[in-house]
Amino acid sequence: AQSVSQHNHHVILSEAASLELGCNYSYGGTVNLFWYVQYPGQHLQLLLKYFSGDPLVKGIKGFEAEFIKSKFSFNLRKPSVQWSDTAEYFCAVMSDNNAGNMLTFGGGTRLMVKP
Amino acid sequence: SAVISQKPSRDICQRGTSLTIQCQVDSQVTMMFWYRQQPGQSLTLIATANQGSEATYESGFVIDKFPISRPNLTFSTLTVSNMSPEDSSIYLCSGAEQGYEQYFGPGTRLTVT
């Protein structure tokens, strides 16, 4: 069965610092990759996605992620975080071994940005 | 993208009772899912709600405890039956077209006393 690991459980940054959140998955076949964000008191929102093509994908609010197939990774980056980026971030994987769109989520990374 | 709403947004229930959560999508979607998010944890898939047939449950979840209905392509319900405090959690539904990203509802925060 596939699994998704987010190694950083809690991250604290100051505003304007650069961000990189790690995401690794364990599945050797074709995958679709996602980052979702959950702002305090709000529901899960799609931040960005990778299906195919350019492995560097850009999402909303200045976020980007790079799919490195050889490393089974899909790390999320932002060059300069803002206080409003305080949220929980979830990496998720959809693999080609199921016909049902099922997502496997990582454990989440809670980001706090200090003003 | 699909917009998904859930009712109720939160509830406090007594042990032994049941609660039915409704999920409404603003457009027809091929697939709908139900997740549980326990405090401070990630999302765990409960089941895939299949239109016109029985839901497909993940390991550790059974129909008697979490019966699911999906009468059409825009609506589904999840019932949490015979509740215990361990069922206290956030329950989320999502919708998706085959092969595409899932869109999530705001969740239902359930507290069982």
Side-chain angles (χ1 to χ4, degrees):
Chain A
Q2 65 198 34
S3 64
V4 181
S5 298
Q6 292 180 242
H7 305 295
N8 315 103
H9 299 294
H10 291 90
V11 174
I12 301 174
L13 295 173
S14 297
E15 275 194 316
S18 64
L19 170 72
E20 181 160 2
L21 302 182
C23 173
N24 288 90
Y25 63 93
S26 64
Y27 179 69
T30 301
V31 292
N32 296 329
L33 300 157
F34 307 86
W35 277 96
Y36 284 87
V37 60
Q38 191 169 31
Y39 297 104
Q42 296 189 28
H43 63 279
L44 271 172
Q45 300 172 39
L46 182 67
L47 201 54
L48 49 78
K49 61 188 178 186
Y50 171 80
F51 280 78
S52 63
D54 189 342
L56 183 62
V57 294
K58 296 191 183 299
I60 59 172
K61 304 186 181 185
F63 286 90
E64 65 179 31
E66 184 173 13
F67 170 48
I68 303 179
K69 188 173 182 179
S70 61
K71 295 185 177 180
F72 300 91
S73 70
F74 190 56
N75 292 355
L76 181 70
R77 300 194 293 248
K78 185 171 184 179
S80 176
V81 294
Q82 300 172 314
W83 176 79
S84 59
D85 293 323
T86 295
E88 188 153 17
Y89 294 80
F90 294 95
C91 181
V93 172
M94 182 195 306
S95 69
D96 65 356
N97 71 343
N98 73 72
N101 265 56
M102 292 189 325
L103 289 177
T104 302
F105 280 87
T109 298
R110 196 176 293 271
L111 171 66
M112 180 184 294
V113 180
K114 298 187 293 184
Chain B
S1 64
V3 177
I4 299 179
S5 58
Q6 288 183 231
K7 287 184 193 177
S9 58
R10 58 178 63 225
D11 207 341
I12 301 172
C13 300
Q14 290 194 338
R15 181 195 301 259
T17 63
S18 297
L19 175 72
T20 295
I21 303 168
Q22 299 180 4
C23 178
Q24 180 75 54
V25 189
D26 70 341
S27 59
Q28 293 186 345
V29 289
T30 308
M31 320 200 70
M32 292 182 75
F33 304 89
W34 286 97
Y35 291 83
R36 183 171 70 185
Q37 186 179 21
Q38 294 185 304
Q41 297 189 26
S42 187
L43 284 79
T44 302
L45 181 65
I46 296 171
T48 303
N50 301 310
Q51 195 256 330
S53 64
E54 207 168 270
T56 305
Y57 289 84
E58 296 303 301
S59 176
F61 298 97
V62 294
I63 187 171
D64 290 346
K65 175 68 175 176
F66 298 101
I68 287 170
S69 78
R70 189 171 176 201
N72 56 52
L73 292 176
T74 64
F75 186 78
S76 179
T77 67
L78 169 77
T79 299
V80 186
S81 303
N82 188 24
M83 287 184 284
S84 66
E86 292 71 37
D87 295 320
S88 297
S89 189
I90 297 173
Y91 292 86
L92 300 106
C93 71
S94 71
E97 288 303 315
Q98 179 74 39
Y100 290 88
E101 63 269 27
Q102 292 183 26
Y103 291 92
F104 286 83
T108 296
R109 185 179 294 270
L110 171 63
T111 302
V112 184
T113 60

